[in-house]
Tab-separated table of all heavy atoms in Angstrom:
chain	number	residue	atom	x	y	z
A	1	GLN	N	72.972	65.442	88.874
A	1	GLN	CA	72.353	64.132	88.787
A	1	GLN	C	71.047	64.098	88.014
A	1	GLN	O	70.691	63.064	87.471
A	1	GLN	CB	72.146	63.570	90.198
A	1	GLN	CG	73.455	63.379	90.947
A	1	GLN	CD	74.403	62.439	90.221
A	1	GLN	OE1	74.141	61.243	90.105
A	1	GLN	NE2	75.507	62.964	89.718
A	2	GLN	N	70.328	65.208	87.917
A	2	GLN	CA	69.067	65.246	87.175
A	2	GLN	C	69.278	65.685	85.726
A	2	GLN	O	68.826	65.022	84.807
A	2	GLN	CB	68.064	66.177	87.864
A	2	GLN	CG	67.770	65.797	89.302
A	2	GLN	CD	67.141	64.428	89.429
A	2	GLN	OE1	66.196	64.111	88.718
A	2	GLN	NE2	67.655	63.621	90.326
A	3	SER	N	69.974	66.800	85.522
A	3	SER	CA	70.140	67.353	84.171
A	3	SER	C	71.264	66.677	83.399
A	3	SER	O	71.250	66.664	82.180
A	3	SER	CB	70.428	68.855	84.232
A	3	SER	OG	71.753	69.072	84.703
A	4	GLY	N	72.261	66.165	84.112
A	4	GLY	CA	73.436	65.591	83.458
A	4	GLY	C	74.467	66.626	83.054
A	4	GLY	O	75.511	66.283	82.503
A	5	ASP	N	74.198	67.916	83.319
A	5	ASP	CA	75.184	68.957	83.022
A	5	ASP	C	76.404	68.768	83.919
A	5	ASP	O	76.294	68.264	85.034
A	5	ASP	CB	74.602	70.350	83.265
A	5	ASP	CG	73.507	70.705	82.284
A	5	ASP	OD1	73.304	69.976	81.302
A	5	ASP	OD2	72.836	71.735	82.528
A	6	ALA	N	77.558	69.177	83.425
A	6	ALA	CA	78.804	69.069	84.191
A	6	ALA	C	79.198	70.444	84.705
A	6	ALA	O	79.076	71.451	84.002
A	6	ALA	CB	79.916	68.512	83.319
A	7	LEU	N	79.677	70.485	85.934
A	7	LEU	CA	80.172	71.711	86.551
A	7	LEU	C	81.666	71.530	86.787
A	7	LEU	O	82.084	70.563	87.423
A	7	LEU	CB	79.463	71.957	87.881
A	7	LEU	CG	79.910	73.179	88.666
A	7	LEU	CD1	79.420	74.459	87.982
A	7	LEU	CD2	79.396	73.110	90.086
A	8	VAL	N	82.453	72.445	86.238
A	8	VAL	CA	83.911	72.414	86.399
A	8	VAL	C	84.306	73.606	87.255
A	8	VAL	O	83.901	74.740	86.973
A	8	VAL	CB	84.628	72.486	85.028
A	8	VAL	CG1	86.133	72.468	85.202
A	8	VAL	CG2	84.164	71.344	84.133
A	9	VAL	N	85.083	73.366	88.311
A	9	VAL	CA	85.492	74.404	89.259
A	9	VAL	C	86.997	74.374	89.420
A	9	VAL	O	87.604	73.305	89.479
A	9	VAL	CB	84.838	74.165	90.633
A	9	VAL	CG1	85.293	75.209	91.643
A	9	VAL	CG2	83.324	74.152	90.521
A	10	TRP	N	87.620	75.568	89.498
A	10	TRP	CA	89.063	75.633	89.729
A	10	TRP	C	89.418	76.919	90.454
A	10	TRP	O	88.645	77.873	90.481
A	10	TRP	CB	89.840	75.501	88.427
A	10	TRP	CG	89.683	76.655	87.485
A	10	TRP	CD1	90.508	77.739	87.369
A	10	TRP	CD2	88.644	76.861	86.518
A	10	TRP	NE1	90.051	78.601	86.392
A	10	TRP	CE2	88.892	78.075	85.860
A	10	TRP	CE3	87.512	76.138	86.160
A	10	TRP	CZ2	88.069	78.575	84.867
A	10	TRP	CZ3	86.694	76.645	85.169
A	10	TRP	CH2	86.977	77.831	84.525
A	11	GLY	N	90.590	76.935	91.057
A	11	GLY	CA	91.106	78.127	91.710
A	11	GLY	C	92.162	78.768	90.835
A	11	GLY	O	92.802	78.110	90.023
A	12	GLU	N	92.305	80.054	90.987
A	12	GLU	CA	93.326	80.815	90.266
A	12	GLU	C	94.500	81.068	91.216
A	12	GLU	O	94.477	80.641	92.357
A	12	GLU	CB	92.730	82.144	89.782
A	12	GLU	CG	91.611	81.992	88.783
A	12	GLU	CD	92.091	81.648	87.390
A	12	GLU	OE1	93.259	81.917	87.072
A	12	GLU	OE2	91.293	81.110	86.611
A	13	SER	N	95.505	81.789	90.751
A	13	SER	CA	96.660	82.087	91.587
A	13	SER	C	96.391	83.268	92.523
A	13	SER	O	97.280	83.757	93.186
A	13	SER	CB	97.886	82.376	90.718
A	13	SER	OG	97.618	83.480	89.871
A	14	SER	N	95.160	83.716	92.557
A	14	SER	CA	94.726	84.722	93.515
A	14	SER	C	93.615	84.071	94.335
A	14	SER	O	93.451	82.865	94.304
A	14	SER	CB	94.221	85.953	92.778
A	14	SER	OG	93.053	85.632	92.059
A	15	ALA	N	92.843	84.843	95.046
A	15	ALA	CA	91.761	84.274	95.850
A	15	ALA	C	90.526	83.946	95.009
A	15	ALA	O	89.499	83.579	95.552
A	15	ALA	CB	91.393	85.235	96.973
A	16	ASP	N	90.628	84.069	93.680
A	16	ASP	CA	89.477	83.832	92.814
A	16	ASP	C	89.200	82.350	92.613
A	16	ASP	O	90.115	81.558	92.408
A	16	ASP	CB	89.698	84.456	91.436
A	16	ASP	CG	89.777	85.964	91.497
A	16	ASP	OD1	89.234	86.555	92.440
A	16	ASP	OD2	90.392	86.546	90.586
A	17	LEU	N	87.929	82.007	92.651
A	17	LEU	CA	87.451	80.701	92.244
A	17	LEU	C	86.641	80.919	90.978
A	17	LEU	O	85.922	81.907	90.846
A	17	LEU	CB	86.562	80.087	93.328
A	17	LEU	CG	87.263	79.797	94.644
A	17	LEU	CD1	86.250	79.496	95.726
A	17	LEU	CD2	88.225	78.640	94.460
A	18	ARG	N	86.739	79.994	90.023
A	18	ARG	CA	86.074	80.135	88.727
A	18	ARG	C	85.306	78.856	88.420
A	18	ARG	O	85.623	77.790	88.948
A	18	ARG	CB	87.108	80.373	87.616
A	18	ARG	CG	88.196	81.369	87.927
A	18	ARG	CD	87.854	82.797	87.836
A	18	ARG	NE	87.418	83.212	86.520
A	18	ARG	CZ	86.835	84.396	86.327
A	18	ARG	NH1	86.636	85.210	87.317
A	18	ARG	NH2	86.461	84.755	85.134
A	19	TYR	N	84.325	78.969	87.512
A	19	TYR	CA	83.593	77.774	87.084
A	19	TYR	C	83.063	77.944	85.670
A	19	TYR	O	82.940	79.046	85.162
A	19	TYR	CB	82.441	77.453	88.046
A	19	TYR	CG	81.239	78.359	87.909
A	19	TYR	CD1	80.146	77.973	87.136
A	19	TYR	CD2	81.183	79.595	88.538
A	19	TYR	CE1	79.038	78.801	87.006
A	19	TYR	CE2	80.078	80.424	88.419
A	19	TYR	CZ	79.012	80.019	87.651
A	19	TYR	OH	77.918	80.840	87.520
A	20	ARG	N	82.747	76.794	85.072
A	20	ARG	CA	82.063	76.719	83.780
A	20	ARG	C	81.106	75.539	83.836
A	20	ARG	O	81.329	74.594	84.592
A	20	ARG	CB	83.054	76.495	82.630
A	20	ARG	CG	83.941	77.711	82.359
A	20	ARG	CD	84.883	77.449	81.231
A	20	ARG	NE	84.167	77.712	79.971
A	20	ARG	CZ	84.727	77.658	78.783
A	20	ARG	NH1	86.005	77.339	78.650
A	20	ARG	NH2	84.042	77.910	77.698
A	21	VAL	N	80.065	75.593	83.015
A	21	VAL	CA	79.088	74.517	82.939
A	21	VAL	C	79.104	73.948	81.526
A	21	VAL	O	79.130	74.695	80.548
A	21	VAL	CB	77.668	75.032	83.290
A	21	VAL	CG1	76.628	73.938	83.088
A	21	VAL	CG2	77.628	75.571	84.716
A	22	TRP	N	79.082	72.613	81.426
A	22	TRP	CA	78.944	71.930	80.145
A	22	TRP	C	77.531	71.372	80.055
A	22	TRP	O	77.124	70.547	80.867
A	22	TRP	CB	79.947	70.784	80.012
A	22	TRP	CG	79.724	69.982	78.778
A	22	TRP	CD1	79.054	68.794	78.673
A	22	TRP	CD2	80.148	70.312	77.452
A	22	TRP	NE1	79.029	68.373	77.374
A	22	TRP	CE2	79.693	69.288	76.603
A	22	TRP	CE3	80.849	71.379	76.912
A	22	TRP	CZ2	79.936	69.295	75.238
A	22	TRP	CZ3	81.089	71.378	75.545
A	22	TRP	CH2	80.647	70.345	74.725
A	23	SER	N	76.765	71.850	79.067
A	23	SER	CA	75.407	71.345	78.839
A	23	SER	C	75.220	71.073	77.346
A	23	SER	O	74.221	71.435	76.755
A	23	SER	CB	74.370	72.350	79.347
A	23	SER	OG	74.533	73.586	78.686
A	24	GLY	N	76.237	70.474	76.742
A	24	GLY	CA	76.257	70.276	75.301
A	24	GLY	C	77.193	71.257	74.641
A	24	GLY	O	77.698	71.034	73.553
A	25	SER	N	77.428	72.382	75.304
A	25	SER	CA	78.440	73.365	74.929
A	25	SER	C	78.859	74.071	76.217
A	25	SER	O	78.167	74.012	77.229
A	25	SER	CB	77.899	74.366	73.902
A	25	SER	OG	76.827	75.097	74.442
A	26	TRP	N	79.999	74.735	76.170
A	26	TRP	CA	80.532	75.394	77.360
A	26	TRP	C	79.870	76.738	77.614
A	26	TRP	O	79.696	77.530	76.700
A	26	TRP	CB	82.035	75.632	77.224
A	26	TRP	CG	82.832	74.393	77.390
A	26	TRP	CD1	83.508	73.730	76.412
A	26	TRP	CD2	83.041	73.663	78.588
A	26	TRP	NE1	84.128	72.630	76.936
A	26	TRP	CE2	83.857	72.558	78.277
A	26	TRP	CE3	82.624	73.821	79.906
A	26	TRP	CZ2	84.253	71.630	79.225
A	26	TRP	CZ3	83.017	72.898	80.857
A	26	TRP	CH2	83.826	71.817	80.511
A	27	SER	N	79.538	76.992	78.869
A	27	SER	CA	79.128	78.339	79.269
A	27	SER	C	80.393	79.189	79.343
A	27	SER	O	81.507	78.669	79.313
A	27	SER	CB	78.461	78.314	80.654
A	27	SER	OG	79.423	78.021	81.664
A	28	GLY	N	80.226	80.484	79.464
A	28	GLY	CA	81.380	81.347	79.674
A	28	GLY	C	81.982	81.109	81.052
A	28	GLY	O	81.302	80.667	81.975
A	29	GLU	N	83.242	81.404	81.190
A	29	GLU	CA	83.925	81.310	82.482
A	29	GLU	C	83.349	82.355	83.424
A	29	GLU	O	83.174	83.507	83.047
A	29	GLU	CB	85.422	81.547	82.262
A	29	GLU	CG	86.248	81.431	83.493
A	29	GLU	CD	87.723	81.655	83.192
A	29	GLU	OE1	88.246	81.044	82.238
A	29	GLU	OE2	88.333	82.455	83.913
A	30	GLN	N	83.029	81.951	84.651
A	30	GLN	CA	82.410	82.842	85.624
A	30	GLN	C	83.152	82.784	86.958
A	30	GLN	O	83.671	81.735	87.332
A	30	GLN	CB	80.955	82.433	85.869
A	30	GLN	CG	80.077	82.496	84.655
A	30	GLN	CD	79.858	83.918	84.199
A	30	GLN	OE1	79.681	84.830	84.999
A	30	GLN	NE2	79.887	84.123	82.884
A	31	PRO	N	83.155	83.884	87.714
A	31	PRO	CA	83.728	83.855	89.063
A	31	PRO	C	82.701	83.324	90.064
A	31	PRO	O	81.499	83.433	89.847
A	31	PRO	CB	84.040	85.318	89.346
A	31	PRO	CG	83.010	86.056	88.566
A	31	PRO	CD	82.769	85.233	87.313
A	32	ILE	N	83.193	82.733	91.122
A	32	ILE	CA	82.342	82.355	92.246
A	32	ILE	C	82.558	83.423	93.311
A	32	ILE	O	83.690	83.636	93.746
A	32	ILE	CB	82.721	80.961	92.801
A	32	ILE	CG1	82.534	79.908	91.723
A	32	ILE	CG2	81.887	80.642	94.038
A	32	ILE	CD1	83.077	78.540	92.091
A	33	ALA	N	81.498	84.107	93.702
A	33	ALA	CA	81.624	85.148	94.723
A	33	ALA	C	82.232	84.516	95.962
A	33	ALA	O	81.744	83.507	96.468
A	33	ALA	CB	80.262	85.743	95.037
A	34	SER	N	83.343	85.055	96.425
A	34	SER	CA	84.105	84.366	97.453
A	34	SER	C	84.684	85.300	98.503
A	34	SER	O	85.440	86.197	98.177
A	34	SER	CB	85.253	83.605	96.777
A	34	SER	OG	86.126	83.088	97.740
A	35	PRO	N	84.341	85.060	99.770
A	35	PRO	CA	85.002	85.786	100.840
A	35	PRO	C	86.232	85.038	101.342
A	35	PRO	O	86.735	85.312	102.414
A	35	PRO	CB	83.922	85.849	101.922
A	35	PRO	CG	83.229	84.545	101.775
A	35	PRO	CD	83.240	84.266	100.274
A	36	VAL	N	86.702	84.055	100.569
A	36	VAL	CA	87.805	83.211	101.013
A	36	VAL	C	88.997	84.058	101.446
A	36	VAL	O	89.597	83.812	102.487
A	36	VAL	CB	88.205	82.189	99.912
A	36	VAL	CG1	89.477	81.478	100.259
A	36	VAL	CG2	87.079	81.196	99.696
A	37	GLY	N	89.372	85.071	100.669
A	37	GLY	CA	90.421	85.990	101.071
A	37	GLY	C	91.814	85.412	101.083
A	37	GLY	O	92.748	86.032	101.585
A	38	ASP	N	91.997	84.235	100.561
A	38	ASP	CA	93.299	83.591	100.521
A	38	ASP	C	93.344	82.749	99.247
A	38	ASP	O	92.312	82.414	98.682
A	38	ASP	CB	93.478	82.710	101.763
A	38	ASP	CG	94.908	82.279	102.011
A	38	ASP	OD1	95.798	82.666	101.222
A	38	ASP	OD2	95.148	81.554	102.987
A	39	ILE	N	94.519	82.386	98.811
A	39	ILE	CA	94.656	81.593	97.586
A	39	ILE	C	94.128	80.175	97.821
A	39	ILE	O	94.530	79.519	98.786
A	39	ILE	CB	96.131	81.544	97.139
A	39	ILE	CG1	96.607	82.961	96.809
A	39	ILE	CG2	96.302	80.619	95.945
A	39	ILE	CD1	98.101	83.060	96.575
A	40	PRO	N	93.216	79.694	96.965
A	40	PRO	CA	92.732	78.325	97.109
A	40	PRO	C	93.886	77.332	96.941
A	40	PRO	O	94.687	77.448	96.018
A	40	PRO	CB	91.724	78.171	95.974
A	40	PRO	CG	91.329	79.561	95.617
A	40	PRO	CD	92.545	80.397	95.875
A	41	ARG	N	93.977	76.393	97.849
A	41	ARG	CA	95.004	75.352	97.772
A	41	ARG	C	94.432	74.132	97.065
A	41	ARG	O	95.040	73.592	96.160
A	41	ARG	CB	95.476	74.991	99.173
A	41	ARG	CG	96.598	73.989	99.174
A	41	ARG	CD	97.118	73.769	100.569
A	41	ARG	NE	98.555	73.610	100.488
A	41	ARG	CZ	99.371	73.708	101.487
A	41	ARG	NH1	98.895	73.981	102.693
A	41	ARG	NH2	100.643	73.541	101.340
A	42	TRP	N	93.292	73.673	97.527
A	42	TRP	CA	92.610	72.542	96.918
A	42	TRP	C	91.127	72.825	96.854
A	42	TRP	O	90.583	73.510	97.705
A	42	TRP	CB	92.822	71.262	97.725
A	42	TRP	CG	94.212	70.738	97.671
A	42	TRP	CD1	94.881	70.251	96.577
A	42	TRP	CD2	95.134	70.664	98.748
A	42	TRP	NE1	96.146	69.876	96.923
A	42	TRP	CE2	96.341	70.111	98.250
A	42	TRP	CE3	95.077	71.003	100.094
A	42	TRP	CZ2	97.446	69.891	99.033
A	42	TRP	CZ3	96.186	70.783	100.886
A	42	TRP	CH2	97.355	70.230	100.349
A	43	THR	N	90.493	72.275	95.835
A	43	THR	CA	89.037	72.303	95.742
A	43	THR	C	88.549	70.876	95.595
A	43	THR	O	89.262	70.009	95.071
A	43	THR	CB	88.545	73.133	94.531
A	43	THR	OG1	89.060	72.574	93.330
A	43	THR	CG2	88.961	74.586	94.658
A	44	ALA	N	87.356	70.626	96.069
A	44	ALA	CA	86.715	69.321	95.909
A	44	ALA	C	85.240	69.564	95.647
A	44	ALA	O	84.665	70.509	96.190
A	44	ALA	CB	86.895	68.478	97.176
A	45	VAL	N	84.631	68.745	94.796
A	45	VAL	CA	83.203	68.848	94.508
A	45	VAL	C	82.558	67.482	94.671
A	45	VAL	O	83.207	66.450	94.492
A	45	VAL	CB	82.937	69.403	93.081
A	45	VAL	CG1	83.365	70.851	92.971
A	45	VAL	CG2	83.617	68.568	92.019
A	46	ALA	N	81.264	67.494	95.020
A	46	ALA	CA	80.502	66.253	95.150
A	46	ALA	C	79.052	66.534	94.800
A	46	ALA	O	78.484	67.518	95.277
A	46	ALA	CB	80.598	65.709	96.567
A	47	PRO	N	78.442	65.680	93.963
A	47	PRO	CA	77.034	65.888	93.610
A	47	PRO	C	76.107	65.320	94.676
A	47	PRO	O	76.422	64.328	95.339
A	47	PRO	CB	76.894	65.096	92.301
A	47	PRO	CG	77.883	63.979	92.441
A	47	PRO	CD	79.033	64.567	93.220
A	48	ASP	N	74.953	65.967	94.828
A	48	ASP	CA	73.866	65.412	95.634
A	48	ASP	C	73.242	64.321	94.769
A	48	ASP	O	72.871	64.582	93.625
A	48	ASP	CB	72.858	66.517	95.937
A	48	ASP	CG	71.674	66.038	96.762
A	48	ASP	OD1	71.431	64.812	96.868
A	48	ASP	OD2	70.964	66.901	97.300
C-alpha cells in the first residue's frame, strides 16, 4: 500500500512456496521458508 510494489505468491507441486516482487521489473523467483510440510492446496494474500 505504500510502495505500490506487487507481491506474487504461488505453491509448487511439492511443499515449496515461491514468490516474486514487481517494482518496475521482476525480482528473481525466491522460496518462502516453510515448515508447512505438505503440498499447498490454496494460497490467499491480503495487504495491510
Side-chain angles (χ1 to χ4, degrees):
Q1 298 301 292
Q2 303 298 312
S3 73
D5 292 350
L7 178 72
V8 179
V9 178
W10 68 95
E12 296 283 338
S13 59
S14 66
D16 295 336
L17 296 167
R18 315 282 300 167
Y19 75 97
R20 290 180 83 176
V21 175
W22 174 262
S23 59
S25 62
W26 285 109
S27 69
E29 182 179 311
Q30 299 292 320
I32 299 171
S34 171
V36 170
D38 195 1
I39 297 171
R41 184 174 218 163
W42 290 295
T43 60
V45 292
D48 179 344

